[in-house]
Amino acid sequence: MLIIGIAGGTGSGKTTVVNQIIDELKHEEVDVISQDSYYQDTTHLSFEDRKKINFDHPKSIDFDLLGEHLETLRSGKSIQQPVYSFKEHNRTGEFIEIQPRKVVIVEGILILTHPEIRELFDIKIYVHADSDERLIRRLKRDIADRGRDLEEVLWRYQTTLKPMHQQFIEPTKEFADIIIPTNRYNTVAVDIVQTIIKDRLS
Ligand code: C5P
């Protein structure tokens, strides 16, 4: 099994990179695991209190469960992954079963901050985009898909996203084997990753 970690700030284009990488792979060859599925269970808090959680701090992620799940997949067994709701800021209580596959891609803003999780990755990738580009993408997505308004997104960006990005996310670039810039169209880096995957699969 090949485990690939893809980090990068919010709105950096991680999802696009993941989709380009898996484009030539068969569905049954790859799992894509999002860090978002591993936000801590916050059922004990009220909705108002959950809204105040700092979702860009490493403490907000249940890395123990993520690590356990990656080890389980690696041992050839399936996992029950919690489903997360961005509208509720909480796990929904549902689970989806994920089967072990030859390639496991783990994507998320904070996945390279945790030393033990970093150790599990065969390839570490950091996706880079300028912060203005990231803010624009984040604004569009949160308003269109995550039930937020302009004021809330800008408030979160200034008070949390930007400082957390500078403190925790950007520094993990130094752990990356490959840094992919997404400000412009880039195929070379994706080709390299696809070549490594094909090599491992053959
Ligand atoms: O998809 P992306 O990597 O951008 O997702 C991570 C972002 O999701 C974080 O920047 C965090 O602020 C945001 N988030 C949120 N509401 C939650 C949980 C995470 O806006 N309930």
Side-chain angles (χ1 to χ4, degrees):
M1 179 179 285
L2 184 71
I3 308 185
I4 304 174
I6 303 189
T10 184
S12 57
K14 294 185 293 294
T15 309
T16 307
V17 168
V18 170
N19 289 336
Q20 287 170 345
I21 291 174
I22 65 176
D23 191 40
E24 287 181 17
L25 292 171
K26 294 193 199 85
H27 175 68
E28 62 276 13
E29 285 175 332
V30 59
D31 282 324
V32 177
I33 291 185
S34 173
Q35 166 205 288
D36 299 340
S37 305
Y38 294 87
Y39 273 112
Q40 304 277 9
D41 187 358
T42 51
T43 312
H44 56 288
L45 299 176
S46 68
F47 181 72
E48 283 312 308
D49 284 340
R50 294 203 298 270
K51 262 170 87 168
K52 295 186 204 132
I53 295 171
N54 179 346
F55 294 109
D56 294 71
H57 192 287
K59 275 198 304 206
S60 66
I61 306 295
D62 189 347
F63 280 116
D64 289 343
L65 185 63
L66 176 59
E68 211 179 279
H69 277 183
L70 293 177
E71 296 285 7
T72 306
L73 288 172
R74 188 139 58 190
S75 72
K77 298 195 202 86
S78 58
I79 57 164
Q80 296 292 328
Q81 186 183 62
V83 175
Y84 189 75
S85 163
F86 284 94
K87 293 203 169 103
E88 294 301 321
H89 301 291
N90 200 10
R91 293 183 186 171
T92 63
E94 289 151 28
F95 295 87
I96 50 166
E97 181 167 294
I98 310 247
Q99 306 284 348
R101 299 212 160 115
K102 286 184 186 157
V103 180
V104 176
I105 297 181
V106 186
E107 67 83 17
I109 55 175
L110 295 161
I111 56 158
L112 294 182
T113 61
H114 196 277
E116 278 105 64
I117 299 289
R118 265 198 320 265
E119 283 297 304
L120 295 171
F121 298 138
D122 299 293
I123 307 174
K124 296 184 278 295
I125 296 172
Y126 186 96
V127 179
H128 169 88
D130 293 340
S131 48
D132 53 354
E133 289 291 334
R134 292 191 299 99
L135 173 58
I136 291 168
R137 292 180 198 158
R138 172 72 182 241
L139 259 177
K140 287 185 176 168
R141 184 193 63 192
D142 278 9
I143 293 170
D145 306 331
R146 293 188 179 173
R148 314 287 165 84
D149 63 27
L150 178 73
E151 278 308 313
E152 184 182 355
V153 183
L154 293 182
W155 171 78
R156 260 187 204 279
Y157 189 84
Q158 285 184 309
T159 56
T160 320
L161 303 195
K162 186 172 178 185
M164 294 299 106
H165 183 82
Q166 288 169 342
Q167 190 177 346
F168 294 110
I169 301 164
E170 177 84 25
T172 62
K173 219 180 222 181
E174 74 165 289
F175 300 116
D177 304 307
I178 301 169
I179 297 169
I180 305 186
T182 56
N183 291 329
R184 58 191 165 71
Y185 190 60
N186 182 315
T187 54
V188 177
V190 170
D191 283 348
I192 292 171
V193 179
Q194 280 177 335
T195 306
I196 299 171
I197 294 175
K198 277 185 211 142
D199 191 51
R200 279 290 190 106
L201 289 180
S202 62

